[in-house]
């Protein structure tokens, strides 16, 4: 039986770990040709080798690197149908505690990286006759999350940018949506909790704030990313797809 993404050509940024890796692996299983892009080039190559995909080291904050990344996909696959702007970082801090450097870094990777991904991928997807852009926002765009000032701002920006672009490109067959994950069990959680005095307690606190009592899995986010990339989501445009274990429902 053909996969749900048979023949689709996709780039996944931040594809070497966590959510991005789960998306790249699931896309490959669904029949897509995948380019795994990550600032950790070695890890990207390892993931790509395990799923028979392409890999490239890329910093999503560098315009020339994103432009070259899209060219790589078009050259290797003959076109581009799906762009997943997933790469992101966070810092655990309130606004007064956030340094200007941290603010800039979080905004650059999460928001500018998403902007650049759309800037270069949308023309290629249009050229291919249409397709799907999937941006990784967060529940932090929808509700205030404690100690995440810069991150909430960046992910709110990703949501607003998604909606703006969705309207701009709806007439060209390019559907643009974002996903708002709750707390997903990835290497990211270890880094965030590592900044607290008691990392194990911080991890338990993050898990217990989920109404369904557990972390969301990367595979559950990948399932949404498959849906958004597929023709089944033909009327899903400018959407914010919440996958959060009920976190924003209360
Ligand atoms: N884990 C969560 O709880 C959670 C919740 C909501 C949203 N998100 C978002 O999902 C996305 C993936 O998060 P994750 O938990 O898998 O994180 P992760 O840290 O496990 O993986 C992120 C990947 O992005 C790469 N990366 C970082 N900076 C980059 C850059 N400048 N250019 C290219 N690649 C870069 C990293 O090397 C890493 O492989 C992020 O945008 C994050 O904000 C995560």
């Amino acid at each position: 039986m053909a996969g749900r993404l048979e023949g689709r050509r996709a780039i996944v940024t931040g594809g070497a770990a966590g959510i991005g890796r789960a998306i790249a692996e699931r896309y490959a299983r669904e029949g897509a040709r995948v380019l795994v892009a990550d600032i950790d080039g070695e890890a990207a190559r390892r993931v790509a080798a395990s799923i028979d995909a392409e890999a490239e080291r890329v910093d999503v904050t560098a315009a020339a690197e994103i432009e070259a990344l899209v060219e790589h996909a078009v050259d290797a696959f003959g076109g581009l149908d799906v762009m997943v702007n997933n790469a992101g970082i966070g810092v655990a801090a309130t606004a007064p505690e956030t340094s200007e450097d941290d603010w800039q870094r979080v905004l650059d990777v999460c928001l500018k990286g998403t902007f650049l991904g759309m800037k270069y991928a949308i023309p290629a997807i249009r050229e291919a006759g249409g397709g799907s852009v999937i941006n990784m926002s967060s529940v932090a765009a929808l509700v205030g999350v404690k100690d995440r000032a810069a991150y909430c701002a960046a992910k709110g920006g990703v949501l607003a940018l998604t909606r703006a672009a969705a309207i701009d490109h709806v007439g060209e067959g390019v559907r643009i949506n974002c996903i708002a994950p709750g707390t997903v069990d990835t290497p990211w959680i270890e880094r965030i909790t590592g900044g607290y005095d008691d990392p194990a307690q911080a991890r338990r606190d993050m898990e217990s704030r989920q109404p369904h009592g557990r972390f969301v899995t990367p595979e559950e986010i990948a399932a949404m990313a498959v849906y958004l990339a597929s023709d089944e989501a033909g009327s899903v445009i400018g959407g914010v797809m919440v996958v959060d274990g009920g976190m924003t429902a209360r």
Side-chain angles (χ1 to χ4, degrees), residues 117-169:
M118 291 203 294
K119 181 174 171 63
Y120 292 103
I122 289 171
I125 296 173
R126 194 165 48 205
E127 186 73 15
S132 174
V133 174
I134 297 157
N135 297 328
M136 205 52 69
S137 183
S138 168
V139 291
L142 305 173
V143 296
V145 178
K146 196 171 156 32
D147 289 340
R148 301 285 185 278
Y151 185 70
C152 287
K155 293 300 184 179
V158 170
L159 170 53
L161 179 59
T162 298
R163 287 181 172 145
I167 295 305
D168 284 339
H169 301 286

Side-chain angles (χ1 to χ4, degrees), residues 57-132:
R57 186 209 170 270
V58 70
D59 179 349
V60 296
T61 68
E65 294 187 22
I66 298 289
E67 188 175 17
L69 176 72
V70 171
E71 277 170 18
H72 177 169
V74 171
D75 288 348
F77 304 147
L80 182 68
D81 307 296
V82 180
M83 179 71 177
V84 184
N85 292 306
N86 164 76
I89 58 167
V91 289
T94 64
E97 291 163 1
T98 303
S99 69
E100 273 190 73
D101 281 354
D102 279 350
W103 170 268
Q104 200 56 54
R105 215 162 44 87
V106 171
L107 269 288
D108 277 354
V109 178
C110 293
L111 186 51
K112 184 182 173 192
T114 301
F115 154 66
L116 290 174
M118 291 203 294
K119 181 174 171 63
Y120 292 103
I122 289 171
I125 296 173
R126 194 165 48 205
E127 186 73 15
S132 174

Side-chain angles (χ1 to χ4, degrees), residues 232-249:
E232 291 170 275
S235 292
V236 184
I237 291 158
V240 49
M241 313 303 279
V242 176
V243 185
D244 71 348
M247 187 179 162
T248 53

